[in-house]
Amino acid sequence: MTNRHTSAAEPPPGPGEPEDVPLEFAAFCELHRPRYLSYARVWLTEHADAATAVQQAFAEIALQWRELLTSPNPTALAWQILRGTVAEHTRQPVAAPDRHPADDDLAILHYVVGLAAPEIADVIGTDTASVAGRLRRTMLHEASGW
């Protein structure tokens, strides 16, 4: 089985990412980097721009690593850092009032990146049932606009 989220062209840890990091942080990066890159590539079509945004996000996560680990949901906080970093690089417009940006992210991760609900839950730091329900709600919202 192939992993659609990895690529031989993926960069090693970049400038700004610490070289000597705790094992837990290195494992976190290895687990999430491919999915973070896939998400960033949706917004930043140049692979180098997407890689830079992800590297900057990981550098910020590294700076906050100890605090993240003491939070109730480190993965969710790391996802927010990534989303913010990608948004800074894209200068994304504010979402329409009836749209929730997090729901848009779920749709992107599911329909564009190709992640299943359990994978999305793992990436954004929530439970699978919540992701599945929000995806259904987003799909129904979009269908009602057709």
Side-chain angles (χ1 to χ4, degrees):
M1 183 160 130
T2 62
N3 185 340
R4 64 184 170 268
H5 307 290
T6 58
S7 165
E10 287 180 9
E17 287 184 53
E19 292 180 25
D20 186 28
V21 298
L23 181 61
E24 299 84 7
F25 179 73
F28 179 88
C29 292
E30 186 173 326
L31 175 66
H32 290 286
R33 183 182 309 276
R35 294 169 179 165
Y36 281 15
L37 276 169
S38 294
Y39 172 81
R41 287 175 181 154
V42 170
W43 295 106
L44 302 161
T45 56
E46 294 293 325
H47 289 305
D49 294 340
T52 297
V54 171
Q55 288 171 345
Q56 288 177 352
F58 277 126
E60 182 62 28
I61 292 166
L63 290 173
Q64 298 183 35
W65 187 246
R66 288 190 185 271
E67 293 82 22
L68 288 173
L69 289 180
T70 61
S71 75
N73 195 335
T75 304
L77 294 176
W79 175 253
Q80 292 306 314
I81 291 169
L82 173 76
R83 285 184 73 235
T85 304
V86 170
E88 288 173 12
H89 282 262
T90 61
R91 296 176 188 86
Q92 295 173 11
V94 177
D98 64 334
R99 301 288 301 176
H100 192 279
D103 289 342
D104 288 346
D105 285 343
L106 294 181
I108 289 167
L109 289 169
H110 183 65
Y111 296 109
V112 179
V113 175
L115 300 181
E119 292 174 297
I120 295 169
D122 181 50
V123 170
I124 69 170
T126 191
D127 62 281
T128 302
S130 173
V131 169
R134 288 169 56 194
L135 281 171
R136 275 192 299 278
R137 185 176 60 241
T138 300
M139 184 177 69
L140 290 173
H141 176 76
E142 288 299 317
S144 68
W146 294 340

